[in-house]
Amino acid sequence: MKLQSLVAILVVFPLASCLMGPDYKRPVVDVPTQYRGPAPAADATAGESLADSEWFELFEDDVLKNLVDTALEKNFDMRIAAERVFQARAQLGIAGSNLYPTLTANGQFVANRGSSAGSIIFIPRGTPLDVSYTQTGFGLSWELDVWGRLRRLKESARAEYLATEEARHGVMTTLVSDVTGGYILLRELDLELEIAQKTREIAENGLKLTRLRHDQGVVSSLDVRQAEQFLHTAAAETASIERAIAQTENAMSLLLGANPGSIPRGKSLGEIEAPETPPGMPSSLLERRPDIRQAEATLIAANARIGAARAQYFPQISLTGMLDGQSRALTDLFSGPARLWNFTSGATAPIFTAGRTRNNVRFTEAQQREALARYEQSIQNAFREVSDALIEYRKTGEQREEQALLVDALRETRRLSGVRYEGGLDSYLQVLDADRNLFQGELTLARLRQRELAAVVELYRALGGGWS
């Protein structure tokens, strides 16, 4: 009869139990119908998004693809993020195990010898008091989750596990964009170095010609000094670019999980073509961006902890049991007379906690409101980043086109200045001004091209591209 009653309790209690605290509902956020910034191309439909492309399809460079593959495999941040996922998964397993009974096995051998000449005066002197026995059995303990405290804690642990998974996706997205952006910067610096070395060679030839004309009495010493200044400017710029190249390679080596060293090159900056950049619908960011998904998972976890805290107002009901065997002779350990058993059910209810339970509920509610604010902030930040990247890409492209026209004009100016100088119509100062302007114009054009491609990478990251 007792066993039947126990079985009935265990079957009925899950049906009668309840969950304390609010159930999660996704907050309603104000999502714009389109991103702020220049309108996308006319042939790009609203449903298309740059983020739907795989990262290796952005620029179609085999060397870049190998670099990103290496980074995804060996990067330290990726390895750390993966281990955090394993940690959160283990924590979820721990939280889930609390819903089930705990069964333990025990065994012990005890040997005692009491004093027959000690404090117990009614025992005859010399009476043997040696006792030894063996005991073994099983213990059972189980907290009945009547108010849903353990289930809310499991729900919170599951959400935190998903948050770490989304954090790993975020690291992946950032890593892809960092490696791609670093590679583009490296190719731009290579182009700058090429321009500086070419300009330095032109300056050396110009200085030789000026010295020759000075020796012939055609030009003054001022022209020689001005030619030397231009040469030193080009040489100094060359050293600065070489320093930047080495430091950029070192930074990329760290991203690849390798010691500082040279980075292989593929396409030149001029050969890298920017893809189409449709941003898609703003509402897709809520499902695409890892940081938004992580913030929502954190919000779900905080929401679940409110229920676990409120459940502390109610009694905690637990079942404990023990089934053992104890005998002096090992052969009698499993016999009927050696059997021991015990079953206990109990409840612990808070009466006076000096406000601890109430303040714990307030604490979890404040955490939930903070998580909600962070979730909404991450959404607004995502819209801003996409809009910034769109504006950067469109306007930088326009600026680059104008700069290219300016460089063409500067080249023609340099050619005409050289002709007039050789004909004796202008001083060498005009030639130097034209050389300096062309040098800076070409460097600026290379940097604008890099900035334009970097804006594509940033837009890809802002849209949540780089992971599947």
Side-chain angles (χ1 to χ4, degrees):
M1 183 64 181
K2 293 180 180 180
L3 182 60
Q4 293 176 348
S5 300
L6 177 60
V7 171
I9 292 173
L10 297 181
V11 170
V12 171
F13 111 86
L15 302 177
S17 62
C18 60
L19 284 173
M20 302 299 297
D23 293 328
Y24 175 77
K25 294 181 180 179
R26 174 176 284 183
V28 178
V29 295
D30 182 19
V31 179
T33 57
Q34 63 181 14
Y35 296 106
R36 182 173 186 264
D43 58 346
T45 61
E48 294 179 343
S49 175
L50 179 66
D52 295 331
S53 304
E54 296 291 347
W55 56 263
F56 49 79
E57 296 176 351
L58 283 182
F59 301 114
E60 298 181 351
D61 188 320
D62 291 337
V63 174
L64 175 59
K65 179 181 182 299
N66 292 333
L67 291 175
V68 176
D69 284 338
T70 301
L72 292 175
E73 178 184 357
K74 298 182 178 180
N75 180 261
F76 293 109
D77 289 335
M78 280 296 301
R79 291 163 57 186
I80 292 171
E83 295 304 324
R84 287 176 178 168
V85 172
F86 293 141
Q87 294 171 24
R89 186 183 300 171
Q91 291 292 338
L92 173 59
I94 294 172
S97 67
N98 293 330
L99 290 168
Y100 301 95
T102 299
L103 182 65
T104 58
N106 63 81
Q108 60 178 337
F109 173 76
V110 180
N112 286 325
R113 186 181 189 283
S115 173
S116 61
S119 61
I120 307 178
I121 60 176
F122 52 82
I123 296 179
R125 187 181 183 85
T127 301
L129 298 177
D130 295 351
V131 177
S132 64
Y133 64 90
T134 302
Q135 180 172 329
T136 186
F138 300 94
L140 175 71
S141 62
W142 189 12
E143 179 182 343
L144 303 183
D145 192 29
V146 178
W147 318 112
R149 183 180 72 89
L150 299 179
R151 279 170 288 169
R152 288 300 192 191
L153 290 177
K154 181 181 178 181
E155 180 183 348
S156 176
R158 182 188 297 111
E160 290 174 348
Y161 161 61
L162 294 176
T164 59
E165 186 68 47
E166 298 303 336
R168 186 178 70 87
H169 293 157
V171 172
M172 185 184 303
T173 298
T174 301
L175 180 60
V176 169
S177 63
D178 286 349
V179 173
T180 305
Y183 180 79
I184 292 173
L185 175 59
L186 195 58
R187 297 309 282 141
E188 185 270 329
L189 290 172
D190 290 339
L191 179 56
E192 282 193 28
L193 182 60
E194 181 180 328
I195 294 171
Q197 290 175 339
K198 180 187 67 175
T199 303
R200 182 177 180 176
E201 182 178 348
I202 293 173
E204 289 175 346
N205 294 332
L207 178 59
K208 292 178 181 178
L209 177 61
T210 304
R211 283 175 175 169
L212 179 60
R213 291 169 66 88
H214 174 266
D215 293 341
Q216 296 174 351
V218 178
V219 298
S220 65
S221 299
L222 179 60
D223 288 344
V224 177
R225 294 291 177 259
Q226 289 173 338
E228 291 174 346
Q229 291 174 13
F230 183 53
L231 174 60
H232 296 324
T233 299
E237 189 67 28
T238 300
S240 175
I241 296 171
E242 289 173 341
R243 179 187 63 221
I245 289 175
Q247 292 175 342
T248 302
E249 287 182 323
N250 291 343
M252 289 195 64
S253 296
L254 179 61
L255 293 176
L256 300 176
N259 293 323
S262 61
I263 301 298
R265 269 67 157 180
K267 291 183 177 180
S268 65
L269 187 68
E271 294 172 335
I272 299 176
E273 297 182 0
E276 294 294 330
T277 57
M281 298 298 295
S283 58
S284 64
L285 283 187
L286 302 184
E287 301 297 336
R288 185 74 196 180
R289 288 252 314 200
D291 59 334
I292 295 178
R293 294 160 61 97
Q294 180 186 358
E296 184 174 17
T298 302
L299 175 60
I300 295 173
N303 189 79
R305 286 194 293 268
I306 295 176
R310 290 181 180 176
Q312 296 289 347
Y313 281 118
F314 300 92
Q316 293 186 16
I317 302 174
S318 61
L319 303 177
T320 59
M322 176 268 291
L323 176 63
D324 282 0
Q326 185 186 101
S327 69
R328 290 185 296 274
L330 189 61
T331 55
D332 296 333
L333 184 61
F334 300 103
S335 63
R339 187 179 304 156
L340 299 172
W341 68 270
N342 178 52
F343 173 77
T344 305
S345 62
T348 303
I351 297 177
F352 177 72
T353 60
R356 181 174 61 250
T357 303
R358 180 175 66 255
N359 284 302
N360 190 37
V361 172
R362 291 175 178 173
F363 175 70
T364 55
E365 289 175 343
Q367 284 186 318
Q368 189 269 349
R369 292 192 296 270
E370 178 188 353
L372 175 59
R374 291 187 181 278
Y375 172 65
E376 294 173 345
Q377 182 187 41
S378 66
I379 294 175
Q380 297 298 323
N381 183 63
F383 293 151
R384 181 191 65 84
E385 288 184 351
V386 174
S387 296
D388 285 350
L390 282 172
I391 295 171
E392 176 78 9
Y393 175 66
R394 308 289 185 194
K395 294 306 177 182
T396 302
E398 295 176 9
Q399 185 181 1
R400 177 189 56 79
E401 292 174 358
E402 295 298 327
Q403 184 68 23
L405 296 176
L406 174 61
V407 169
D408 290 340
L410 291 173
R411 289 196 180 106
E412 181 63 15
T413 300
R414 171 60 181 85
R415 187 188 69 81
L416 294 175
S417 298
V419 171
R420 290 176 64 84
Y421 171 68
E422 293 173 0
L425 299 177
D426 279 334
S427 68
Y428 193 62
L429 180 59
Q430 301 297 327
V431 177
L432 288 177
D433 285 341
D435 283 332
R436 292 192 192 98
N437 293 335
L438 178 59
F439 182 33
Q440 292 301 322
E442 289 179 332
L443 292 179
T444 301
L445 180 60
R447 290 163 186 166
L448 286 173
R449 179 56 178 166
Q450 179 270 329
R451 187 171 173 178
E452 183 182 16
L453 294 175
V456 176
V457 178
E458 175 58 23
L459 177 61
Y460 185 68
R461 185 204 64 78
L463 291 171
W467 68 280
S468 300

